[in-house]
Amino acid sequence: MASQRPGPNLSRIATSLGVSVATVSNALSGKGRVSDALIERIRTHAAELGYVPSQAGRALRTGRSGVLGLVLPDIANPLFPKIAQAIEYAASAAGYGVLIADSRGDITAQTEAINRLVERGVDGMVVVPRRATRISAASCPVAVIDTASTPGNTVAADHWQGGREIAAHLAGLGHKQILIIGNNHESNVQNDRAGGIRAGLQPGMRSETLWIERLENETGAGCRLGLAEKARQGFTAFAALSDLQALHALTELQQEGISVPADVSVTGFDDLIWSPVVTPSLTTVRMDMDTIAEIAVSALVDRINESGTREGVLVTAETERVPMQLIIRQSSGLANPAPKTSEMENL
Amino acid sequence: MASQRPGPNLSRIATSLGVSVATVSNALSGKGRVSDALIERIRTHAAELGYVPSQAGRALRTGRSGVLGLVLPDIANPLFPKIAQAIEYAASAAGYGVLIADSRGDITAQTEAINRLVERGVDGMVVVPRRATRISAASCPVAVIDTASTPGNTVAADHWQGGREIAAHLAGLGHKQILIIGNNHESNVQNDRAGGIRAGLQPGMRSETLWIERLENETGAGCRLGLAEKARQGFTAFAALSDLQALHALTELQQEGISVPADVSVTGFDDLIWSPVVTPSLTTVRMDMDTIAEIAVSALVDRINESGTREGVLVTAETERVPMQLIIRQSSGLANPAPKTSEMENL
DNA sequence: TGCAGTTGATTAAACGATTAAGCGCAGCAC
DNA sequence: GTGCTGCGCTTAATCGTTTAATCAACTGCA
């Protein structure tokens, strides 16, 4: 009934070579005292038998599963591919597997997902919360990737600095009136980004912030934002707090016959998959997910290796903010001095 | 040194109640013969102690890890969130965890990723290949989600039928000349979709297919597709084989001053996150990922439960094609009878 | 030669669960 | 009263690995 593991195990190697299991284990792990000749013999034999150690046996003995959990509470988060990829890469470089637990947006579902991970015996986990959910002491080390202003945050992109990059870029192009577009008013990430933009404005520039979440909830995701009207009011730059909103803005403006970047500029955040593909391609700010993932995972791994007692703690890292990188593409250009008389023959 | 698992184990419950470990195990799993009274007593006591069974112990004994692998070889696939979510949901409903293994696009990296999963002892895995990679016999059951025309496919959306839906929709709107836009010529999925569209054309309609992969490789992802010229040639509908290309087409057309849907129609595939958000919102075809995931996972689980010998097989499911659903939004409209004289004042 | 110290291996005890087999006891039939 | 059956529980083996403890043999040194 019970399915046998296919490959050879330590004891098969041991009997086949006429030595004890412990010796084989020591030879392969390089820990105990085994003669060099025997180590060599055992290693080659193990290799030609195609031996792979049983994670189950090892996990049982050591109390470590070699698996990290990844919790993404945000429904179908478009950043997911990048995050998952980066985390998986960093984890597997550190010898860990990654168990995902997507909790469809709900907060209780999130804690359930975390519990599932704990029950599966993960050694630690990476959580990317949407709101500042208190990930209080799951019974394993936890790394939080959100934003530096979130209490308990382990590491994150420097969203504030990213905002400043955008502001500086727009200032350099001569824009005076900037409309910031966000869709989640309670998101620490978006607030940091918006704050960074405002902090980066030069004297003589002003900004206004448009939170579209209520509009989206009432009228649906594809609602009109009324950006043409805003352009008529004198806004020449639309700085979205995410590429999704940037796309929303860009297409709405185009549909209204307003040319980007000739008439107005549009910028985003995150450098999502479509950013280089749309016309005009999107000027945005990229987070260095690989570095963030590496920092998070290594902080986690350090903690796991150091603490014998498997306590639940929020781990900390030396570098808390990873700089974001401005990607200048086509959607941002020199401020049009007379935005109202939008010429349709541009470009 | 070895970190102790925090919670109680079977033997702690057993000694605490003065019974044997086996009895506790039987009581909790409901397998052996235990009196109802004792079962009750053990269950409540286990509950109040907060007992969670050790996956490691169980895995070692039963040879089953209770974990499925998910392999997504496609770099940063924008479908990833949906797939991962659906698979994770289906798997966790079936009592399984999901271990991800993203192999950054490379084929050798893909087999490495598969090996990593096998070494971690997954009981089975779901593979979504980009090209028809032969997933020949990893040493565990494998479910392939690609397209019905792929040999060895387990279950997939009925891309062909999805294509017919698009064709029928465009035919109903009076379109005669359809430009199909794809970016991967070797993709079974895209070929099926294109085939479905062509098969669904009414008499008097014609189609042409534009593969943009070479253009993308040479000129970058955001290259000009020259769609305005195509519109001038008389094409009134642009049927992209993925929402990403649809977005590419939509924004390029808008930028050129061609109005969608007044002048031409644009349709996509997959109903990705931005489809409802862009202006005009995108008419597309949605795959029922939840159903697909459920079928794949349950086929996998059936296979796992039935085969004792852990052999590596491509599992099959009863339902191989899951119908796609046409989502009509704003980007498709009645065919403009005189596309050449595109009036700029539309809308 | 005798003794301490090192080397290279073995022995055995875990880790936590599952499960086949066994055992005492009651009830029942002959 | 004996034999049989079924119930309720225990005993014990097992999965594969790690690792502390042990031990034999050999070395160097007095």
Side-chain angles (χ1 to χ4, degrees):
Chain A
M1 186 70 49
S3 59
Q4 301 291 26
R5 252 172 56 91
N9 50 20
L10 284 189
S11 94
R12 206 160 325 180
I13 300 179
T15 57
S16 151
L17 255 65
V19 296
S20 78
V21 217
T23 303
V24 179
S25 173
N26 283 330
L28 293 177
S29 66
K31 277 193 176 167
R33 291 182 304 211
V34 190
S35 67
D36 290 352
L38 188 47
I39 286 187
E40 193 51 32
R41 218 150 58 89
I42 290 177
R43 291 229 169 122
T44 57
H45 193 239
E48 69 195 19
L49 250 57
Y51 167 74
V52 294
S54 151
Q55 291 291 332
R58 177 176 292 169
L60 182 55
R61 176 62 225 248
T62 63
R64 303 260 181 77
S65 61
V67 172
L68 301 180
L70 173 60
V71 183
L72 265 284
D74 200 351
I75 289 191
N77 190 319
L79 261 173
F80 194 21
K82 279 194 182 180
I83 297 180
Q85 231 173 18
I87 296 284
E88 199 267 346
Y89 188 78
S92 93
Y96 283 81
V98 176
L99 208 48
I100 60 172
D102 185 280
S103 61
R104 315 201 146 190
D106 197 318
I107 299 236
T108 60
Q110 174 179 319
T111 52
E112 266 173 32
I114 292 180
N115 285 338
R116 274 207 305 276
L117 287 180
V118 171
E119 285 174 22
R120 294 214 171 271
V122 296
D123 294 337
M125 53 191 171
V126 178
V127 178
V128 185
R130 181 182 180 104
R131 288 162 245 215
T133 342
R134 259 290 186 261
I135 312 292
S136 52
S139 55
C140 70
V142 174
V144 176
I145 301 182
D146 191 18
T147 172
S149 67
T150 303
N153 185 69
T154 305
V155 60
D158 194 339
H159 301 285
W160 186 277
Q161 167 259 338
R164 295 192 69 121
E165 298 274 342
I166 287 288
H169 174 60
L170 293 175
L173 292 171
H175 294 274
K176 301 296 180 201
Q177 298 204 51
I178 302 192
L179 186 71
I180 301 173
I181 303 172
N183 81 331
N184 188 348
H185 188 217
E186 292 174 347
S187 153
N188 289 324
V189 169
Q190 295 198 15
N191 279 318
D192 270 24
R193 290 172 173 184
I197 294 176
R198 292 190 204 105
L201 297 182
Q202 300 293 325
M205 293 172 72
R206 65 173 280 268
S207 74
E208 198 178 300
T209 306
L210 180 65
W211 294 108
I212 64 174
E213 53 193 329
R214 202 191 312 174
L215 211 57
E216 280 184 341
N217 290 339
E218 288 170 3
T219 338
C223 56
R224 286 275 155 172
L225 304 177
L227 299 184
E229 170 63 22
K230 292 288 182 185
R232 250 170 273 126
Q233 289 172 14
F235 287 97
T236 61
F238 297 83
L241 300 181
S242 154
D243 280 353
L244 190 57
Q245 277 99 253
L247 186 59
H248 194 157
L250 174 65
T251 54
E252 177 172 325
L253 288 163
Q254 284 186 327
Q255 177 81 354
E256 304 265 7
I258 297 173
S259 175
V260 178
D263 295 333
V264 299
S265 291
V266 173
T267 64
F269 265 93
D270 290 339
D271 193 25
L272 295 183
I273 179 117
W274 61 80
S275 309
V277 170
V278 294
T279 307
S281 55
L282 202 56
T283 292
T284 188
V285 174
R286 178 191 292 164
M287 39 205 274
D288 185 354
M289 214 17 122
D290 288 334
T291 303
I292 295 173
E294 209 211 297
I295 293 176
V297 167
S298 73
L300 218 41
V301 171
D302 286 353
R303 185 70 190 183
I304 291 168
N305 288 334
E306 130 200 347
S307 80
T309 57
R310 224 179 194 308
E311 59 224 282
V313 280
L314 294 175
V315 305
T316 57
E318 216 166 301
T319 318
E320 199 185 351
R321 299 155 200 253
V322 177
M324 298 187 83
Q325 183 194 359
L326 180 67
I327 312 276
I328 299 174
R329 297 208 181 89
Q330 300 166 352
S331 69
S332 58
L334 285 173
N336 186 338
K340 295 186 185 181
T341 66
S342 74
E343 311 120 41
M344 302 299 281
E345 278 70 35
N346 280 325
L347 197 149
Chain B
M1 187 68 50
S3 61
Q4 302 291 25
R5 251 172 56 88
N9 50 20
L10 283 190
S11 94
R12 207 159 323 178
I13 298 179
T15 57
S16 150
L17 253 63
V19 296
S20 78
V21 223
T23 304
V24 179
S25 173
N26 283 329
L28 293 177
S29 66
K31 278 194 176 167
R33 291 180 305 206
V34 190
S35 66
D36 290 352
L38 188 49
I39 286 187
E40 191 52 32
R41 218 150 59 88
I42 290 177
R43 291 228 169 121
T44 57
H45 192 239
E48 71 195 18
L49 250 58
Y51 167 75
V52 293
S54 151
Q55 291 291 332
R58 177 176 291 169
L60 181 55
R61 179 59 227 252
T62 63
R64 304 260 181 76
S65 62
V67 173
L68 301 179
L70 173 61
V71 184
L72 265 282
D74 198 353
I75 290 192
N77 190 319
L79 261 175
F80 195 22
K82 279 193 182 183
I83 296 179
Q85 233 175 15
I87 295 285
E88 199 266 347
Y89 187 78
S92 93
Y96 283 81
V98 176
L99 208 49
I100 60 172
D102 185 282
S103 62
R104 314 203 147 189
D106 196 317
I107 298 236
T108 61
Q110 173 179 317
T111 52
E112 267 174 31
I114 292 179
N115 285 338
R116 274 207 305 277
L117 288 180
V118 171
E119 284 175 23
R120 293 213 172 272
V122 297
D123 295 336
M125 53 191 170
V126 177
V127 179
V128 184
R130 180 181 180 106
R131 286 163 248 214
T133 342
R134 260 289 185 259
I135 312 293
S136 52
S139 57
C140 70
V142 174
V144 176
I145 300 181
D146 191 17
T147 172
S149 67
T150 303
N153 185 68
T154 305
V155 61
D158 193 339
H159 301 285
W160 186 278
Q161 166 259 338
R164 295 193 68 121
E165 298 273 340
I166 288 287
H169 174 59
L170 293 176
L173 291 171
H175 293 275
K176 301 294 181 202
Q177 297 204 50
I178 304 196
L179 186 69
I180 300 173
I181 304 172
N183 82 330
N184 188 346
H185 185 219
E186 291 174 348
S187 154
N188 289 323
V189 170
Q190 294 197 17
N191 279 318
D192 269 23
R193 290 173 173 184
I197 293 176
R198 290 188 206 105
L201 297 183
Q202 301 293 324
M205 295 173 71
R206 64 173 280 267
S207 75
E208 198 178 301
T209 306
L210 180 64
W211 293 108
I212 64 174
E213 53 194 328
R214 202 192 311 175
L215 212 55
E216 280 183 342
N217 289 340
E218 288 170 3
T219 337
C223 55
R224 286 275 155 170
L225 304 178
L227 300 185
E229 169 63 19
K230 292 289 182 183
R232 247 172 275 124
Q233 290 171 12
F235 287 98
T236 61
F238 297 84
L241 299 181
S242 152
D243 279 353
L244 190 57
Q245 278 100 253
L247 186 59
H248 195 156
L250 174 65
T251 54
E252 176 171 325
L253 289 164
Q254 284 188 329
Q255 178 81 355
E256 304 263 6
I258 297 174
S259 176
V260 179
D263 295 333
V264 299
S265 291
V266 174
T267 64
F269 265 92
D270 290 338
D271 193 26
L272 296 183
I273 180 120
W274 61 80
S275 310
V277 170
V278 296
T279 305
S281 54
L282 201 56
T283 292
T284 188
V285 174
R286 177 190 294 162
M287 38 205 276
D288 186 353
M289 211 24 117
D290 288 335
T291 303
I292 295 172
E294 209 211 295
I295 293 176
V297 167
S298 73
L300 218 41
V301 170
D302 286 354
R303 185 70 190 182
I304 291 168
N305 289 334
E306 129 200 347
S307 79
T309 57
R310 224 179 193 308
E311 59 222 282
V313 281
L314 294 175
V315 303
T316 56
E318 216 166 300
T319 318
E320 198 185 351
R321 299 155 199 251
V322 178
M324 298 187 84
Q325 183 194 358
L326 179 67
I327 312 275
I328 299 174
R329 295 207 183 89
Q330 301 165 353
S331 69
S332 57
L334 285 173
N336 187 336
K340 295 187 183 179
T341 65
S342 72
E343 309 122 43
M344 302 298 281
E345 277 68 37
N346 280 325
L347 196 149

